[in-house]
Amino acid sequence: MGGTAIGQNNFETRSACPVCSSSTQRPFKQSSFEIRKISADLIKITDSEYGKTWDLSLCLNCSFVFANPAPTPRFIRTLYGQVEDPLYEDEAEGRSKNFAKILSRLERICPGKGTLFDVGAATGILIHLARGRGWDADGIEPSAWAVKYAQEKYGLNIREGSFEETSLPANFYAAVTMVDIVEHMSRPLEALQKAFEILKPGGILCLVTPDIKSLAARITGTKWWHFRPGHLGYFSAKSLTKLLDLTGFTVVKKKKYSWTFSAHYLFSRKKWLRFLIKNARMAFFWKKISIKLALSDSMEIYAKKDSGE
Ligand SMILES: [Zn+2]
């Protein structure tokens, strides 16, 4: 990776909640890694640094849990620009199944399809699928590696950069998808405001993010697998509702979300299960087996930009 000098000016302390702006907060969890050693490798999607977090604060007003200090938006952009994550594409099939289900639900709410914008598009799997289903899909991704991969594998020209800073047409998209992205952002309110702005009146936002109040989160405690260096904010139903309210969205559907992965991927995430995939034949076998993570520890929300009628 190299090259990123990490100094104090790469971080910012937050006296106000990044969702509701309240200044009443208390420490929630202490940092469990040396934040000055943060790198692109530590924040990639398939990192296995479970349990490692920034110092986290809890907002006493809306219950949002957020990194404090947090990396500045500029520093986040630099880090994600450098991310290379070949393991992500190893699970392309599993991810496609997840995204196909999301698109099916989105299409029931947004039957006319039309223009779709995917925020944090990674290697373009969702955009590629959406196009195949008749959407006019586009998106943005900060990782130069992922953008190039999407071009080579799917022939997509995904925009490279930061969603919040990119100039996009207002009142244009029928749907905006933010699947497992808002928890990586240090300023979720600004990102949602941007999503609201680019949606047409009546347009739908689909947002998926981990639920810090889920049973899985409560059971696994500080070892919860969503506690990881790439995550800068942790929502509950309460803080997510607050965020959508403040932005002007109306929730039309919510559900609990569970991911599908191959057995191989899950075993590779757990040190004590890695013996199962040590030889190539076993690894091949486990890659063919899909496992639905019945933990349902994420929230999947569909919210509408009201047409104001
Ligand atoms: Zn708050």
Side-chain angles (χ1 to χ4, degrees):
M1 288 301 140
T4 314
I6 302 180
Q8 200 54 49
N9 61 350
N10 290 122
F11 305 99
E12 58 190 13
T13 303
R14 277 101 68 89
S15 54
C17 168
V19 169
C20 75
S21 305
S22 162
S23 54
T24 55
Q25 54 172 266
R26 68 164 173 78
F28 178 80
K29 186 176 181 297
Q30 244 190 354
S31 162
S32 41
F33 75 102
E34 170 100 51
I35 64 168
R36 283 171 180 272
K37 293 194 177 143
I38 187 74
S39 67
D41 258 0
L42 277 180
I43 56 165
K44 65 186 181 190
I45 300 166
T46 61
D47 86 85
S48 50
E49 301 290 332
Y50 303 144
K52 290 195 179 174
T53 61
W54 300 76
D55 277 322
L56 301 178
S57 292
L58 168 71
C59 170
L60 297 175
N61 181 47
C62 76
S63 91
F64 185 53
V65 172
F66 54 99
N68 198 8
T72 60
R74 172 190 288 245
F75 186 42
I76 294 170
R77 194 170 66 241
T78 305
L79 287 170
Y80 279 97
Q82 297 169 343
V83 164
E84 296 187 9
D85 196 0
L87 197 56
Y88 181 79
E89 266 291 318
D90 266 15
E91 281 296 307
E93 205 180 314
R95 290 183 201 278
S96 284
K97 283 184 194 158
N98 292 318
F99 292 147
K101 284 181 204 148
I102 289 175
L103 287 169
S104 299
R105 288 190 279 270
L106 179 62
E107 286 157 13
R108 282 199 282 276
I109 297 165
C110 205
K113 297 185 185 171
T115 45
L116 178 150
F117 194 85
D118 187 33
V119 183
T123 55
I125 299 173
L126 189 147
I127 296 177
H128 173 69
L129 269 180
R131 286 195 182 178
R133 299 167 74 108
W135 290 88
D136 177 9
D138 183 11
I140 190 160
E141 164 58 38
S143 155
W145 170 85
V147 167
K148 185 161 175 273
Y149 195 100
Q151 167 71 55
E152 284 166 5
K153 183 165 180 186
Y154 304 114
L156 298 172
N157 288 310
I158 295 177
R159 292 159 198 257
E160 184 181 328
S162 143
F163 172 59
E164 297 91 318
E165 289 167 18
T166 299
S167 162
L168 292 166
N171 301 308
F172 182 74
Y173 292 95
V176 170
T177 47
M178 296 181 76
V179 180
D180 286 322
I181 184 73
V182 71
E183 65 275 15
H184 295 261
M185 296 171 157
S186 67
R187 295 177 186 175
L189 182 63
E190 285 161 38
L192 272 267
Q193 283 165 339
K194 174 104 176 183
F196 190 86
E197 180 195 312
I198 66 171
L199 278 168
K200 289 181 199 179
I204 299 289
L205 168 73
C206 165
L207 193 150
V208 177
T209 193
D211 179 0
I212 196 171
K213 290 278 177 74
S214 63
L215 186 61
R218 289 167 201 252
I219 290 171
T220 53
T222 57
K223 298 275 185 217
W224 187 38
W225 77 309
H226 286 298
F227 281 135
R228 43 172 66 192
H231 291 177
L232 304 176
Y234 298 89
F235 288 91
S236 60
K238 183 179 172 185
S239 53
L240 193 57
T241 303
K242 184 81 188 171
L243 177 68
L244 292 161
D245 278 354
L246 285 170
T247 322
F249 281 108
T250 307
V251 174
V252 289
K253 181 182 171 68
K254 358 176 181 187
K255 73 182 293 292
K256 286 184 178 173
Y257 186 79
S258 24
W259 281 96
T260 304
F261 288 113
S262 72
H264 176 273
Y265 182 81
L266 292 178
F267 296 162
S268 71
R269 306 287 82 198
K270 288 275 174 213
K271 278 197 183 90
W272 58 278
L273 285 172
R274 276 185 207 153
F275 74 94
L276 287 166
I277 52 172
K278 265 197 171 148
N279 76 60
R281 191 183 298 176
M282 291 292 279
F284 180 79
F285 172 73
W286 291 118
K287 275 186 182 176
K288 297 280 159 209
I289 310 281
S290 296
I291 290 181
K292 191 171 171 80
L293 261 190
L295 295 171
S296 301
D297 63 349
S298 288
M299 300 174 279
E300 181 179 326
I301 305 255
Y302 296 84
K304 191 178 200 166
K305 172 174 175 173
D306 281 325
S307 44
E309 284 158 10

